[in-house]
Amino acid sequence: MGVRSWFEGWPVYRQLTGTDPLGRGAAAKSDGSRALTARTDTADSMARSVCPYCAVGCGQRVFVKDGQVSQIEGDPDSPISRGRLCPKGSASKSLVTSPLRQTTVRYRRPYGTEWEDLDLDTALNMIADRVLAARDETWEDVDAEGRPLNRTLGISSLGGATLDNEENYLIKKLFTAMGALQIENQARI
Amino acid sequence: MAEAHPVGFQWVMEAKRRGAKVFHVDPRFTRTSALADSYLPIRAGTDIALLGGVVRYILDNELDFREYVVAYTNAATIVTEEYADTEDMHGLFSGFNDDNATYDQASWRYEGHSQNQTTRDSETQRETAAGLENESHGAPVGGETQRDETLQHPRCVYQILKRHFARYTPEMVERVCGIPQEKFFELARAWTENSGRDRTGMLVYSVGWTQHSVGVQYIRTGAIIQLLLGNMGRPGGGVMALRGHASIQGSTDIPTLFNLLPGYLPMPHHAEHPTLDKWVDSIAHPGQKGFWGNARTYGVNLLKAYWGDAATADNDYCYGYMPRMTGDHGTYQQVLDMIDGKIKGYFLLGQNPAVGSAHGRAQRLGMANLDWLVVRDLFMIESATFWQNAPEIETGEIAPERCRTEVFFLPAASHVEKEGTFTQTQRLLQWREKAVEPPGDARSELWFFYHLGRVIRERLATSTKPRDRALLDLAWDYPTHGPNVEPSAEAVLREINGYDVATGRPLASFTEMKDDGSTVGGCWIYTGVYADGVNQAARRKPGSEQSLVAPEWGWAWPANRRILYNRASADPDGNPWSERKRYVWWDADKSEWTGYDVPDFEKTKPPSYRPEHGASGVAGIAGDDPFILQGDGKGWLYAPTGVLDGPMPTHYEPVESPVRNPLYRQQANPTRKVYTHPINTLNPSPPEPYSQVFPYVFTVSRLTEHHTAGGMSRTVSPLAELQPEMFVEVSPELAAERGLTHLGWAHLVTARAAVEARVLVTDRLTPLRVDGRVIHQVWLPYHFGFEGLVTGDSANDLFGISLDPNVLIQESKVGTCDIRSGRRPRGAELLALVVDYRRRSGDLNPHYPPQVTTDSADSGPDQEV
Ligand code: SF4
């Protein structure tokens, strides 16, 4: 390292001669931090998304590297949030990449004391069996005066406010065709 | 708002910087209070008394925006002489029926109307939460009314309102709410001074208002003030509901709710809606004004979206397939039915009732008595592990080897692992792109329900049972893609939007819908979100490159309108009320409505348009009727029908209160929904004896760092670290009274449960002087449960189940309790403690305070002289 570059590497020199007289930006940068790159710069792709917590609807940018979420940031373009996220929105990456997330189907048989493993397809078929059986056992065609009821009160469902409109639409459509009325979500709470 | 909707709160701060005055009313001093100009501590459950005081202040001082009020509200409309007010009836309105504790609404009707046009009696309306149907419009009422625009007629709404609120004086506000009169005057003055031609004031609320036995009337009171001050349909005005989940608005518009169908169409009722004609007539009400006149079109389009080619004019578009309600099928009724063994299977889709719903013990015991339970979530939540880890294991009420419920836990895809739209709190739909594939077995709900439907339909393929026709004829062909065979969310959005059957062209507006089966549309209020075949919800033009209204970011229902009823931002002649508040106006040269937003009015209907006598539907709306979804085109200061607990709000005490209602002999909402089930017992309240056993008021709310029942926050390490433990906030005075030490333990007891928490002694809670005595309030976060990185007792376990009659939402923002130093007992001793409290409060049987208390004149200085 020559004397000149040693001298120019000195933060006070940079502060006095450069564009950062207060020494709060480039002038104070160390070699270490200069060598860093933001995860957002090296991402393979970015998806425009929305915070999954409250109904303010802050914009998010979801950065992906090697098929994994590498960063989630506020979307500065959003006229709602102008790039900001609160502690929950800022924790979204921890939410979606949390090691506590369940990623396999778990099954607890009646009177069981432990969880067991179950194949997803088997679970789907078992649930279909149970839905059809519950529906058959509790089906009501007509009321006491012979007016149509077309329903089952043997099946309930709760939840929807954290889901997409398209999902709620299919849930309601299928349950309605099934005659399952007792469909509720957080809006009732 | 700074606590629970922090990023939204930036706009409040922006307004404050520009000179807006910010008032915060809350039982507890929060991060919002810290940033407000003025903070008003209030006794939980008394907001109608405070707001009623503001209504009285406006009317007494004639501070209403008179031109707006006369032209745009029903202030001038005359009411029948059969109507009698709470003033004359100890807090009840005319029409009260003791037998079933409901009102016959006939005497509330407008003069000249033969009857209110609702077809359902009030009890059926309560059972079916009919108030929710009115989320996008008023209850049905005939369009032609008798009016006195001088507002002098003794039976015009203006005069009725004035009499009704006469006793809500500043002294009474102080006596009921514990708010000093100077504070009240400061609020009332600022609100009225900042409303009118040049200024607007905004009211913001959240579930602190909805979770009450009089929740709908809280919001009605706010709406009355905003209408009187001319703050509706104008920029900077409005009543803003801040909702708590990413798409809770969407799940109300496209409802996973028992009593609604998409677009606020009612789920058919077995007695009232036997046929398609009866169903649509009950919505459209022949003779009423406005866009609900087209209800048949909206209904037929939904049926076509559900049953596709099978739905024809000849079979009434498969209306006969619809299941029918017979009464209350809401979530709390369901839980009681689970306890009673009537329900076999339960799906939980991203909701955690073991922590988030009122009366957690009832929730958990219900789940422990099912044949099967399917939990779809990101994490192992309490509602999936109740059979293993619930507090009832310790008390012996649940034992794994005796619990028969078969539990399927299916991991869900997160918001970045699927695409689709959320509808945020201002009706704005925003499309999310998918970033990555979901891990392992995790799948979207779209995947799960599409494939569940596919498998079920395959099973039934050869069925000849009539009951299976609705499933077999269902339009269920959605394109799929990718290794997981994921259905296309965009195809579903297109169906929601609607299209022309013959050409497949997406509809641009619900006005293009036909009632002859030639168009399909799954949710009429969302029509336009896929206009021109373009996903309008995916629009992302940067806010900085647009006007303040930002119309090209996402898409808002209806018709991409950002402020509803914005015709009211112009005067009756169509000119802006002022330059400052210019928003939407009539352009006389072009003969059309124009402005910064999509006008909420027929584009070419001039302000001077007057309907012919007898005109109904859209043609019945005059050129100066801004409230185009109301049967009479007016904003309702007085609701002649549809609000089950009265045409105007009235202060009732919470169902559990330590205070006798200082305003009327009637203590609590007489029409509230009561569940008399052995598990649901309530603390006594005045005028009953023994209310002093539960002398303190408790309220619950959110922390910034956690989300609802904690399933998405107590599982996330940065959030869990920020708020690691269940706590209770108490005032220094109460701490001294009950021997509680800062950072020590305390437990709270009600007739349902005892929960423990660390004590935070803080002057964020103030003892209030109410009706001559000191009332202490305590506050708890409701986020904690027994799973996750950080755990604690659940505050919602403390609540019983009492519901608002209009929408069947529970009172879980206020209750009474005792608080004691130290940790709660464990196991059988815990049950014994609760039983002991019930014995001391007079009754070991399930207890319910009386619905009607107008015979009890024992409320100290009885106001009713
Ligand atoms: S970042 Fe915070 S304020 Fe914004 S939507 Fe998410 S939870 Fe709500």
Side-chain angles (χ1 to χ4, degrees), chain A residues 53 77 84 88 101 103 106-108 125 129-130 136 143 150 158 164 166 169 172-173 183 189, chain B residues 10 211 257-258 260 270 320 349 405-406 409 417 421 432 441 459 467 475 478 495 543 704 712:
Chain A
Y53 287 99
D77 288 346
R84 290 157 193 178
K88 290 187 290 291
R101 265 187 77 181
T103 56
R106 307 294 280 153
Y107 174 68
R108 185 255 175 184
N125 278 285
D129 289 340
R130 279 149 185 73
D136 270 344
D143 67 9
N150 296 335
L158 185 66
D164 299 348
E166 296 74 15
Y169 181 78
K172 183 72 174 185
K173 184 173 177 177
I183 309 309
I189 313 292
Chain B
Q10 68 175 304
Q211 293 178 336
L257 295 168
F258 81 90
L260 291 181
H270 74 131
L349 314 172
T405 308
E406 184 182 30
F409 182 95
E417 294 152 6
T421 52
R432 294 184 333 276
D441 292 339
R459 297 282 163 88
R467 77 177 65 159
Y478 297 101
E495 176 176 318
T704 304
M712 287 164 68

Side-chain angles (χ1 to χ4, degrees), chain B residues 160-180:
Chain B
I160 288 177
L161 201 64
K162 205 165 169 173
R163 279 199 302 280
H164 178 75
F165 284 106
R167 67 174 71 190
Y168 292 67
T169 59
E171 300 75 35
M172 185 56 90
V173 171
E174 180 164 30
R175 197 175 143 201
V176 176
C177 311
I179 295 174

Side-chain angles (χ1 to χ4, degrees), chain B residues 167-468:
Chain B
R167 67 174 71 190
Y168 292 67
T169 59
E171 300 75 35
M172 185 56 90
V173 171
E174 180 164 30
R175 197 175 143 201
V176 176
C177 311
I179 295 174
Q181 290 183 43
E182 333 60 274
K183 282 264 171 197
F184 166 78
F185 278 118
E186 195 193 343
L187 170 73
R189 231 175 273 127
W191 205 340
T192 49
E193 282 170 4
N194 288 287
S195 303
R197 262 177 197 281
D198 287 311
R199 295 182 165 276
T200 48
M202 182 180 284
L203 181 61
V204 180
Y205 75 90
S206 146
V207 281
W209 268 20
T210 56
Q211 293 178 336
H212 288 278
S213 54
V214 242
V216 166
Q217 296 281 18
Y218 274 40
I219 297 150
R220 286 272 312 131
T221 329
I224 289 170
I225 295 174
Q226 292 296 66
L227 283 170
L228 285 173
L229 296 179
N231 284 329
M232 296 307 292
R234 301 180 62 206
V239 180
M240 317 300 277
L242 292 179
R243 308 193 66 179
H245 300 78
S247 198
I248 193 162
Q249 184 61 47
S251 66
T252 319
D253 305 332
I254 296 180
T256 30
L257 295 168
F258 81 90
N259 58 330
L260 291 181
L261 288 163
Y264 300 97
L265 298 168
M267 184 60 95
H269 184 269
H270 74 131
E272 313 298 340
H273 308 128
T275 62
L276 174 66
D277 290 339
K278 285 246 162 65
W279 181 57
V280 295
D281 280 357
S282 78
I283 312 167
H285 288 278
Q288 86 166 5
K289 294 183 182 184
F291 278 85
W292 276 96
N294 300 329
R296 186 181 184 86
T297 307
Y298 313 144
V300 168
N301 275 266
L302 173 67
L303 293 168
K304 279 293 288 179
Y306 274 14
W307 284 293
D309 295 341
T312 64
D314 293 339
N315 64 12
D316 275 348
Y317 302 99
C318 297
Y319 177 77
Y321 288 170
M322 284 281 191
R324 312 297 158 93
M325 306 187 288
T326 45
D328 170 14
H329 309 294
T331 180
Y332 287 101
Q333 182 63 58
Q334 290 171 36
V335 166
L336 301 176
D337 285 346
M338 286 175 202
I339 293 173
D340 294 343
K342 294 183 192 159
I343 292 181
K344 300 194 173 296
Y346 194 13
F347 288 88
L348 290 177
L349 314 172
Q351 187 163 351
N352 188 10
V355 176
S357 292
H359 205 326
R361 181 167 157 266
Q363 304 288 335
R364 296 184 293 266
L365 292 180
M367 288 188 278
N369 196 30
L370 295 164
D371 286 357
W372 49 270
L373 170 71
V374 176
V375 179
R376 296 191 38 84
D377 215 290
L378 302 173
F379 299 93
M380 263 305 165
I381 52 171
E382 288 79 0
S383 300
T385 66
F386 64 90
W387 54 273
Q388 217 175 12
N389 298 331
E392 287 71 29
I393 302 280
E394 215 178 62
T395 58
E397 294 167 282
I398 298 177
E401 52 285 353
R402 288 199 311 273
C403 173
R404 67 192 177 92
T405 308
E406 184 182 30
V407 185
F408 295 86
F409 182 95
L410 271 62
S414 78
H415 76 295
V416 302
E417 294 152 6
K418 60 187 182 186
E419 53 189 12
T421 52
F422 283 154
T423 303
Q424 57 80 274
T425 199
Q426 286 178 286
R427 312 180 320 281
L428 186 79
L429 283 79
Q430 299 183 94
W431 177 264
R432 294 184 333 276
E433 296 166 355
K434 175 166 150 178
V436 291
E437 289 295 333
D441 292 339
R443 295 289 183 276
S444 66
E445 303 313 300
L446 207 63
W447 183 94
F448 178 76
F449 279 93
Y450 170 71
H451 288 288
L452 181 65
R454 180 182 56 78
V455 172
I456 285 177
R457 280 156 47 89
E458 283 166 12
R459 297 282 163 88
L460 298 175
T462 56
S463 166
T464 51
K465 286 188 195 157
R467 77 177 65 159
D468 296 332

Side-chain angles (χ1 to χ4, degrees), chain B residues 792-807:
Chain B
D793 281 356
S794 300
N796 283 332
D797 284 11
L798 293 170
F799 287 107
I801 307 172
S802 300
L803 310 184
D804 177 287
N806 293 290
V807 289

Side-chain angles (χ1 to χ4, degrees), chain A residues 50-60 80-81 84-90 92, chain B residues 4-9 243 246 704 707:
Chain A
V50 179
C51 176
Y53 287 99
C54 89
V56 171
C58 296
Q60 292 190 333
I80 298 169
S81 54
R84 290 157 193 178
L85 294 174
C86 80
K88 290 187 290 291
S90 308
S92 300
Chain B
H5 300 89
V7 182
F9 193 69
R243 308 193 66 179
T704 304
H707 188 241

Side-chain angles (χ1 to χ4, degrees), chain B residues 683-706:
Chain B
N683 299 348
S685 294
E688 297 178 290
Y690 305 117
S691 65
Q692 69 281 4
V693 174
F694 302 102
Y696 306 115
V697 175
F698 76 100
T699 184
V700 304
S701 66
R702 290 187 184 195
L703 296 163
T704 304
E705 297 80 4
H706 280 301

